[in-house]
Amino acid sequence: MRITCPICGERDRREFYYVGDAVLLERPDPEAGEAAWDDYLHNRDNPAGDTRDLWSHEGGCGAWVVVTRNTVTHEVLATELASDVAADLREARP
Amino acid sequence: MRVTGKGLIDRSTPVSFTFDGRRYDGFAGDSVASALLANDVRLMARSFKYHRPRGVMGAGSEEANALITVGRGSEQDPNVRATVQEVFQELEVFSQNRFPSLEWDLLALNDLAAPFLGAGFYYKTFMWPKSFWERVYEPVIRRAAGLGALSGQGNTDRYEKAFAFCDLLVIGAGPAGLSAARAAARAGADVILADEDSLMGGRLNSETHEIDGMPGAEWAAQAVAELAQMDNVHLMPRTTVTGAYDQGTFGALERVAHHRPRGQAPRECFWRIVAQRSVLATGAIERPVAFRNNDRPGIMTAGAVRSYLNRYGVAPGRATTIFANNDDAHRTARDLVEAGMHVAAVIDSRLEAPDGQGYPVIKGAQVCDTAGRKGLESVTYRATSGEEKIKTDCLAMSGGWNPSVHLSCHMNGRPVWDEAVQAFLPAPGAVPGMRMAGACNGVFSTHGAFVQGAEAAVAALSDLGITTEVGETPEAEDAPYRLQPLWAVPGKGRAWLDFQNDVTVKDVTLAATENFRSVEHMKRYTTQGMAPDQGRNSNVAALAVLADATGRGIAETGTTTFRPPFSPVPVAAMGAGAQGRGFAPERFTTSHKASVERGAPMIEAGLWYRPSYFPAPGETSWRQSCDREVNMVRSAVGVCDVSTLGKIDIQGEDAPAFLDLVYTNMFSTLKVGRTRYGLMLREDGHVMDDGTTARLGQTHYVMTTTTAAAGPVMRHLEYVHQCLRSEWDVRLASVTEQWAQFAVAGPKSRELLNSILDETIDGERWPFMACGAVRVQGVEGRLFRISFSGEHAYEVAVPARYGDSLFRLLLARAGALGGGPYGMEALNVLRIEKGFITHSEIHGRVTADDIGMGRMVSAKKDCIGKTMSERPGLSGPEREQLVGLKPVGTVRQLTAGAHLFNAGDPAERAYGQGYVTSVGFSPTLESYLALAFLKNGRARHGEEIRMVDQLRGITARCEVCHPVFHDPEGEKTRG
Amino acid sequence: MAELIAKTPCAGLLPLEGGAVAVTEVVPEAMTLMAPFNGREAAFSDALKDAHGMATPAPKRATGREGARAVWFGRGQVMLIGARAQTALAGHAAQTDQSDAWAAVRIAGDDAEAVLARLVPMDLRQRVFKRGHTARTLLGHMTTSITRVGDDAFMILVFRSMAETLVHELQTAMKGVAGRRGA
Ligand SMILES: [Zn+2]
């Protein structure tokens, strides 16, 4: 498997560390309530299809990367810097 | 026997080798199979289950029968195909799965028992008694059925792994592959051409057709020579592409040195090839026909006979019969006659078969039986006029060709049945970026292969933005592919489908009768296709038989799929380089050498190596050394390398806020020049790590992590920064490797330091938890007054280049003060005496409250893990809390991992009160001490509890106490 | 006063020769990791140019030459290798002294690419990875920085503590490559 790091380009999967769903970028407010925190930390879908997850290019430039991929075809559809996605989320916040 | 004037072997280079201890002669360019056939050896193996005598069936990697063992002892390689192993001087090969010898195999009795050994026999027979499975049935069955054996010795050969990259990977160097590689290479693309054979050219080396007016083999050699000269081409002969994986990654096994005596080169190399595009040009495998006794030595595929004749200059028999359902197999008769060999007959199942050219053709007939105990002597055929017997010692059979679609299935692609060629073809687009060309795609003429190969390359290059044209393709035969399906000749007796796993037509029909109608069920019930060849010779015929038995068409019946690897890949090659020191990096501290010189046994701490203890003269056990080292630190001074702890440099305007977020306690309030202990949680509320962080400047901190968590903490900090607070101005850098850092601990620690620091230190300017820059013998260093031993202690750091020198200097000076080095054992006892935690305690399932640090989670701010740590169930008396244990009964020994029970309760899971995490013998208190987690432990100090170690059989009565055993007020640390 | 004696990371391990490859230790005068602060990238770039005469390298590139290079070192990071970082750079970037943190070696020769192809999972072919190109990647199990410093020469950095493993891995790969040439 190969993943395109937005900084380094296409690299072997072994350079990346996998953590899980990209929802980890959307840390709830401490007061958001139990349901929000459960969704942030524990509740996960198991889609047969497109999924977005968070990887770290630990064996490379050190960037955290949001990877959109298909769990059935294994196609990697898009990769973005997590810091960019986080910035967009911040702007979108009221 | 050898045929004069034929073959591509090098007759000027004779070689001799041994088979089962007997010496045979061959030539360079021979395979073991061709050399044995040249010596009239037909019996090469015994079959898997029935121990039937077997010869060769093919001439390439598809070979199902002739598996041999190469070499002996630690150099022994079992299950090598005799058709693939090249001969060289002094090669030793052996037959396998026979006892006592290939000629006289006692286990051939299995063949007589055949009526009982059909499909499902084991499932139906060995059902009871249950205990017999492991002790009786399995060992007996394993001995009777099987392939080659391992030597049982360690493999001493060198293997290799490597990575390669290209624009276009061409898999197979037959006419289609050569054509594709040439078109792409001429257009300037980076091309890798991989072929499993030692000689590139594919069928061109086995056929007599002319290409552009020259022999096919010569044309292939010229094409390969042209490619070999080009810088942008990487030719990989003897390389089997074994798997197609995601994003254009392929696995390939290169047999680097199996064809020559052992030298310096690795035996094999397992390649990971990354290709932008690929062309599958893997050709096709000729399929046998199932008829009674179709497995005798001397019966092989028609194409194999041509390979032996045209490539190796060997006639597998003196009188050859051909049995086929297609035009292509008639070439075998033509080639044999042209070479002056005798063709007994061509038996063609079709009434419309072509006429013979100097040989008789019996049309509309089928071979229905054969005879000859250890080699073919005659065949019986059935024609409209009745049955006839022919004396013949070689039968060349052909049921048509199966395209080698395997790699197209590796990413879930299902091959598609094609009525016209009566075969499964690769599904287009089955592997992203892969195009198929030639015989593997159902195009069987040489001309068609050339055209399709070039077209595939041109299309692949066009994807990559390189424009080129197909150009002129060489002149070559373009015969139509004519065949009439024939899978199994009806009749009594056993007709083999899967030669390698001894599966017959009867087994498959039995499966259908017993309602195993799905092809997947039939496969598992009969073991059809489950041998090392993965059914590549037999799957299609087997499912045709199944289709027939169940009254369905082949397309409807479907096919099982093919998974990687295409051919077996030795684990030694896949794991190359990862044995011994290659298993994981070894991290050595700067004091490593000096520690080893002092006789310290080094133990692994993650990837690091740290000294366990430093034996003094006269000490005979680690405990003696450990006790002495503990006493030394408590009474004088000890030195310990702590460079393995993670050190992370944190700078920037938002560094204080950042630390407040990742630690439970406040760091924005820490004064410059001071250090503070910090506790870090995971977002789920459990403890992640702990350590001290020093504030070196207003916006500059250096964080210390535990040795074990250095990597994970760095990753976590990057996550918090990049994913949660990317707008913050904070910069992280690991400086673990920059500094050699030594703990100097004990009442004489300041005295020792003052003997090496350029400016002396005192308690006023260097109180407990102070930090700052110092000069050590003129070198810029750092000093931290922190303690993991409970003593008055410091950690002194210098740039790593000086680490070895400073360690030696510290030890020399400490010696004069009655001190010296201490190792991990003493360090562990010192911290247990003080109740300091390590990852034995913060093992991932404990919360801040569990370890008595609930109040360290600041109420004034948010931090990672805070919200979840407040959840019910993550704190409170129902949880197991950190306590100390002291033995109070007759048994004085405590053990880590033991469980705790109330006196009177049975020592069973349901009554568990907790468990012991750390244990050490304290010379200070002259007792074993333990840290443990105990239900509601903080409220139970003074109670008695029972420790039970079920594994070691130790039970001890303990008193529950505060986890800090020594100097609970911390007077020594601060003093 | 006793003197502290400096040791290089690969002391006693190098040089190494085998086949058409030579591996030697590189001992730069200093190595400084620099990560420009938010909004200071341009100022840092100017300061680097003024102080050291080198442009700030774009990602995956190295500037400067033998003796003093600025090597891109990962997301938002540049390693100044060779020259001692001038004080003019302070304030523009977080700086950490890494002079002792890395083992640096030079691998050169006709087979240098072939040796690295056995250890590094990325494309280092001349056509793709040219002189002045640099990468953060893996060498075996180790994180590394690899820079092409010549047509057949690379500079490789791994953590100082892993110097022995680096040499062991290179030696093993060199034996394999040389063994093919010889046999
Ligand atoms: Zn990257």
Side-chain angles (χ1 to χ4, degrees):
Chain A
M1 183 178 178
R2 297 177 66 76
I3 296 172
T4 301
C5 168
I7 297 174
C8 303
E10 193 191 280
R11 294 294 189 87
D12 193 282
R13 189 215 67 83
R14 76 194 62 209
E15 293 185 3
F16 296 83
Y17 178 88
Y18 173 79
V19 267
D21 198 291
V23 72
L24 285 172
L25 289 167
E26 300 168 48
R27 186 172 186 263
D29 188 88
E31 310 304 326
E34 290 197 352
W37 278 92
D38 287 344
D39 286 344
Y40 175 60
L41 274 172
H42 300 304
N43 296 333
R44 294 290 180 266
D45 291 331
N46 183 18
D50 291 356
T51 183
R52 278 177 94 225
D53 32 50
L54 196 54
W55 299 67
S56 164
H57 194 195
E58 202 169 49
C61 67
W64 282 83
V65 182
V66 175
V67 177
T68 307
R69 64 189 178 94
N70 188 296
T71 59
V72 177
T73 63
H74 298 186
E75 199 177 350
V76 174
L77 301 158
T79 52
E80 307 153 87
L81 284 179
S83 53
D84 289 350
V85 178
D88 291 347
L89 284 168
R90 248 190 335 272
E91 262 172 44
R93 222 172 277 153
Chain B
M1 69 180 201
R2 220 41 105 164
V3 181
T4 41
K6 295 286 287 182
L8 309 172
I9 47 170
D10 177 6
R11 291 183 196 249
S12 64
T13 312
V15 294
S16 82
F17 67 101
T18 64
F19 175 55
D20 280 343
R22 254 189 85 177
R23 189 161 286 278
Y24 294 97
D25 294 320
F27 296 107
D30 260 326
S31 68
V32 167
S34 70
L36 287 175
L37 286 175
N39 284 284
D40 293 329
V41 176
R42 291 196 290 172
L43 174 61
M44 297 186 197
R46 289 277 174 171
S47 77
F48 181 73
K49 195 158 105 180
Y50 301 124
H51 291 256
R52 300 262 298 181
R54 293 280 169 84
V56 284
M57 194 176 82
S61 75
E62 77 285 359
E63 177 58 31
N65 286 336
L67 303 191
I68 53 170
T69 295
V70 179
R72 59 167 86 212
S74 64
E75 295 183 344
Q76 180 171 320
D77 281 322
N79 304 334
V80 176
R81 286 140 189 80
T83 49
V84 170
Q85 177 63 50
E86 299 165 58
V87 296
F88 55 86
Q89 192 62 33
E90 302 311 324
L91 171 73
E92 275 188 302
V93 300
F94 303 91
S95 60
Q96 35 185 60
N97 193 32
R98 77 290 191 266
F99 178 83
S101 76
L102 187 61
E103 288 284 331
W104 300 105
D105 181 2
L106 290 178
L107 296 167
L109 283 171
N110 278 8
D111 198 30
L112 301 176
F116 311 105
L117 288 176
F121 169 71
Y122 298 118
Y123 305 135
K124 291 168 185 166
T125 311
F126 298 113
M127 294 181 52
W128 59 268
K130 208 173 156 188
S131 62
F132 267 44
W133 247 118
E134 234 173 82
R135 279 183 286 134
V136 183
Y137 299 144
E138 195 182 320
V140 169
I141 292 166
R142 280 203 188 280
R143 183 168 162 74
L147 299 167
L150 295 169
S151 68
Q153 298 177 34
N155 189 337
T156 50
D157 284 319
R158 192 205 307 277
Y159 294 79
E160 195 175 64
K161 274 190 302 210
F163 299 91
F165 298 83
C166 61
D167 297 326
L168 185 70
L169 169 66
V170 180
I171 307 162
L178 284 174
S179 176
R182 221 164 55 140
R186 284 175 177 175
D190 276 355
V191 176
I192 292 179
L193 175 60
D195 192 282
E196 59 179 4
D197 206 326
S198 56
L199 186 65
M200 288 189 166
R203 286 303 297 174
L204 295 178
N205 293 324
S206 289
E207 303 291 359
T208 48
H209 342 290
E210 294 207 327
I211 314 291
D212 272 351
M214 67 178 95
E218 200 178 313
W219 185 91
Q222 280 188 12
V224 172
E226 180 196 333
L227 291 169
Q229 281 177 356
M230 299 169 86
D231 283 343
N232 55 327
V233 178
H234 181 185
L235 293 180
M236 299 181 75
R238 298 186 179 93
T239 303
T240 309
V241 177
T242 55
Y245 304 96
D246 295 322
Q247 282 84 34
T249 306
F250 294 84
L253 182 73
E254 180 190 10
R255 295 181 307 283
V256 182
H258 283 293
H259 60 289
R260 55 192 185 209
R262 275 175 171 69
Q264 292 302 305
R267 298 290 284 167
E268 291 171 344
C269 181
F270 188 66
W271 290 88
R272 271 89 166 172
I273 300 171
V274 179
Q276 301 295 313
R277 291 291 181 274
S278 59
V279 172
L280 187 74
T282 43
I285 296 170
E286 198 164 18
R287 56 198 183 208
V289 180
F291 50 86
R292 186 176 195 175
N293 291 320
N294 61 341
D295 68 331
R296 297 192 193 282
I299 303 179
M300 57 192 81
T301 60
V305 173
R306 296 203 293 282
S307 292
Y308 288 116
L309 178 68
N310 298 324
R311 175 168 172 182
Y312 297 108
V314 169
R318 280 166 174 76
T320 303
T321 303
I322 290 100
F323 173 36
N325 66 344
N326 60 73
D327 285 5
D328 183 66
H330 288 244
R331 294 180 206 273
T332 305
R334 283 202 296 275
D335 288 357
L336 284 167
V337 168
E338 264 170 43
M341 303 303 300
H342 176 61
V343 171
V346 173
I347 298 165
D348 196 314
S349 60
R350 302 168 299 170
L351 285 165
E352 309 296 320
D355 293 326
Q357 297 165 24
Y359 49 85
V361 177
I362 302 158
K363 301 181 185 181
Q366 298 175 342
V367 173
C368 56
D369 199 1
T370 70
R373 228 171 63 76
K374 286 178 190 161
L376 184 70
E377 285 163 16
S378 68
V379 302
T380 306
Y381 68 88
R382 190 185 300 135
T384 40
S385 53
E387 289 192 359
E388 295 276 349
K389 200 176 202 174
I390 309 179
K391 269 184 80 80
T392 187
D393 59 353
C394 175
L395 179 65
M397 61 180 163
S398 176
W401 294 79
N402 286 332
S404 292
V405 302
H406 310 72
L407 289 166
S408 79
C409 301
H410 288 182
M411 290 179 69
N412 225 9
R414 287 273 165 171
V416 182
W417 179 253
D418 187 285
E419 274 297 320
V421 295
Q422 288 289 306
F424 283 98
L425 301 185
V431 173
M434 178 187 276
R435 287 176 174 80
M436 296 75 176
C440 76
N441 202 28
V443 173
F444 294 109
S445 84
T446 313
H447 173 76
F450 279 133
V451 172
Q452 217 173 44
E455 282 174 355
V458 168
L461 263 52
S462 150
D463 292 351
L464 304 178
I466 305 172
T467 311
T468 182
E469 281 170 16
V470 171
E472 216 167 291
T473 45
E475 218 172 281
E477 65 84 25
D478 197 13
Y481 185 68
R482 274 197 289 258
L483 107 170
Q484 194 178 63
L486 173 66
W487 307 102
V489 175
K492 285 186 180 165
R494 283 175 295 164
W496 267 263
L497 288 166
D498 187 336
F499 290 68
Q500 207 159 54
N501 247 1
D502 266 346
V503 179
T504 64
V505 171
K506 254 189 194 168
D507 294 323
V508 174
T509 49
L510 178 69
T513 312
E514 297 190 354
N515 218 20
F516 293 98
R517 295 159 58 91
S518 140
V519 61
E520 298 287 353
H521 290 156
M522 178 275 284
K523 169 180 172 171
R524 279 152 189 85
Y525 190 60
T526 61
T527 74
Q528 158 64 43
M530 288 164 74
D533 81 341
Q534 290 288 290
R536 74 176 75 159
N537 295 289
S538 54
N539 273 358
V540 178
L543 68 95
V545 170
L546 180 70
D548 195 39
T550 54
R552 296 172 295 183
I554 292 176
E556 191 195 338
T557 306
T559 177
T560 55
T561 190
F562 295 100
R563 296 185 192 87
F566 172 67
S567 351
V569 179
V571 172
M574 271 198 206
Q579 311 95 315
R581 296 191 70 185
F583 181 69
E586 295 168 305
R587 300 183 79 173
F588 296 119
T589 60
T590 56
S591 66
H592 186 85
K593 211 167 160 232
S595 298
V596 171
E597 283 169 13
R598 285 190 168 237
M602 304 303 285
I603 53 165
E604 290 174 41
L607 299 176
W608 291 98
Y609 287 78
R610 302 186 74 181
S612 186
Y613 55 94
F614 293 84
E619 286 172 353
T620 52
S621 78
W622 70 270
R623 258 291 301 282
Q624 283 177 305
S625 307
C626 177
D627 289 356
R628 175 185 48 75
E629 288 171 14
V630 171
N631 288 331
M632 175 185 81
V633 172
R634 295 266 179 248
S635 64
V637 61
V639 177
C640 179
D641 193 330
V642 292
S643 311
T644 61
L645 276 77
K647 292 178 279 290
I648 300 169
D649 192 274
I650 301 168
Q651 298 187 44
E653 289 295 323
D654 294 312
F658 184 77
L659 284 162
D660 283 349
L661 179 62
V662 296
Y663 273 133
T664 61
N665 46 332
M666 296 287 262
F667 279 81
S668 51
T669 55
L670 181 66
K671 286 194 193 118
V672 173
R674 286 292 181 274
T675 301
R676 183 170 284 169
Y677 175 79
L679 187 70
M680 204 178 275
L681 302 183
R682 297 195 308 246
E683 193 71 279
D684 66 6
H686 294 79
V687 178
M688 175 185 236
D689 198 40
D690 69 345
T692 57
T693 288
R695 192 168 196 172
L696 301 179
Q698 205 54 43
T699 58
H700 188 186
Y701 295 80
V702 61
M703 172 191 284
T704 306
T705 75
T706 57
T707 299
V713 167
M714 186 68 187
R715 184 193 302 141
H716 173 69
L717 297 187
E718 286 287 359
Y719 159 75
V720 173
H721 177 39
Q722 293 182 38
C723 299
L724 303 181
R725 295 292 185 271
S726 60
E727 74 278 23
W728 282 6
D729 202 6
V730 53
R731 297 293 178 268
L732 308 164
S734 168
V735 290
T736 308
E737 299 269 350
Q738 168 66 18
W739 300 95
Q741 192 154 322
F742 303 100
V744 178
K748 294 184 181 172
S749 56
R750 191 179 330 177
E751 197 182 340
L752 172 56
L753 282 172
N754 278 334
S755 77
I756 60 153
L757 293 177
D758 294 4
E759 279 178 47
T760 55
I761 56 169
D762 57 36
E764 203 174 312
R765 283 179 50 219
W766 285 90
F768 183 52
M769 296 307 253
C771 67
V774 289
R775 290 182 76 83
V776 187
Q777 309 290 312
V779 171
E780 300 281 351
R782 287 174 178 174
L783 188 67
F784 308 84
R785 185 166 167 197
I786 51 180
S787 175
F788 195 53
S789 58
E791 293 301 323
H792 181 157
Y794 302 83
E795 289 186 8
V796 59
V798 291
R801 72 184 66 183
Y802 300 111
D804 174 73
S805 188
L806 178 59
F807 184 68
R808 291 173 193 273
L809 179 64
L810 283 168
L811 297 199
R813 300 279 163 94
L817 299 171
Y822 65 101
M824 300 303 292
E825 296 295 346
L827 181 140
N828 194 41
V829 171
L830 290 162
R831 68 98 190 168
I832 291 172
E833 288 178 342
K834 282 294 294 179
F836 289 142
I837 54 173
T838 66
H839 280 283
S840 296
E841 283 72 40
I842 46 174
H843 51 50
R845 291 180 290 123
V846 305
T847 64
D849 183 68
D850 295 342
I851 52 173
M853 295 188 188
R855 269 181 291 173
M856 274 188 72
V857 185
S858 169
K860 293 183 211 152
K861 64 176 181 76
D862 182 25
C863 74
I864 300 290
K866 183 180 176 184
T867 303
M868 293 307 269
S869 73
E870 290 164 354
R871 286 251 168 131
L874 288 188
S875 59
E878 69 273 22
R879 290 182 63 88
E880 292 156 344
Q881 298 169 338
L882 184 70
V883 295
L885 297 179
K886 279 189 286 203
V888 293
T890 47
V891 175
R892 311 302 295 179
Q893 192 186 3
L894 304 182
T895 52
H899 284 253
L900 304 176
F901 301 93
N902 288 327
D905 277 352
E908 290 169 12
R909 180 103 178 75
Y911 299 91
Q913 292 292 304
Y915 53 94
V916 179
T917 52
S918 298
V919 162
F921 180 81
S922 164
T924 316
L925 303 172
E926 295 185 331
S927 168
Y928 270 97
L929 303 175
L931 297 177
F933 284 93
L934 178 67
K935 274 184 187 161
N936 195 23
R938 278 197 291 277
R940 296 171 70 177
H941 294 178
E943 279 184 25
E944 196 177 301
I945 199 92
R946 197 158 64 104
M947 184 210 85
V948 180
D949 184 332
Q950 311 265 26
L951 281 176
R952 299 179 187 87
I954 298 169
T955 300
R957 288 165 48 215
C958 305
E959 183 197 324
V960 178
C961 56
H962 193 273
V964 182
F965 301 93
H966 175 68
D967 186 26
E969 304 306 319
E971 284 159 7
K972 286 168 177 271
T973 316
R974 289 184 175 77
Chain C
M1 191 175 85
E3 205 183 327
L4 294 183
I5 300 154
K7 262 174 105 171
T8 65
C10 298
L13 300 171
L14 292 177
L16 196 66
E17 267 184 59
V21 183
V23 181
T24 49
E25 181 167 17
V26 179
V27 187
E29 194 201 330
M31 285 189 260
T32 311
L33 187 68
M34 297 180 292
F37 290 120
N38 286 0
R40 306 290 271 280
E41 291 83 358
F44 168 75
S45 191
D46 293 344
L48 182 66
K49 185 125 223 173
D50 289 349
H52 295 284
M54 284 181 278
T56 304
K60 301 183 282 179
R61 295 292 182 269
T63 57
R65 64 179 75 81
E66 209 77 61
R69 296 178 200 278
V71 177
W72 175 82
F73 216 71
R75 181 184 174 271
Q77 296 182 329
V78 172
M79 186 79 95
L80 183 61
I81 300 177
R84 212 158 264 292
Q86 307 249 327
T87 43
L89 297 171
H92 299 305
Q95 292 190 25
T96 53
D97 184 6
Q98 303 262 350
S99 306
D100 294 53
W102 299 85
V105 306
R106 178 190 167 91
I107 175 167
D110 284 351
D111 281 339
E113 251 181 55
V115 167
L116 292 182
R118 273 140 187 84
L119 299 168
V120 181
M122 67 170 283
D123 195 352
L124 293 175
R125 288 173 301 157
Q126 171 83 290
R127 188 188 267 223
V128 180
F129 192 77
K130 303 182 169 98
R131 186 196 282 248
H133 287 204
T134 190
R136 292 303 307 269
T137 180
L138 298 175
L139 191 149
H141 297 104
M142 299 175 285
T143 59
T144 184
S145 154
I146 298 182
T147 307
R148 188 186 277 272
V149 294
D151 287 342
D152 65 353
F154 300 86
M155 180 176 66
I156 301 173
L157 270 62
V158 302
F159 286 149
R160 178 190 192 101
S161 66
M162 299 186 184
E164 277 203 45
T165 300
L166 171 67
V167 172
H168 174 261
E169 297 277 281
L170 288 172
Q171 195 166 21
T172 306
M174 283 162 67
K175 273 186 196 161
V177 172
R180 285 174 183 248
R181 282 193 170 238

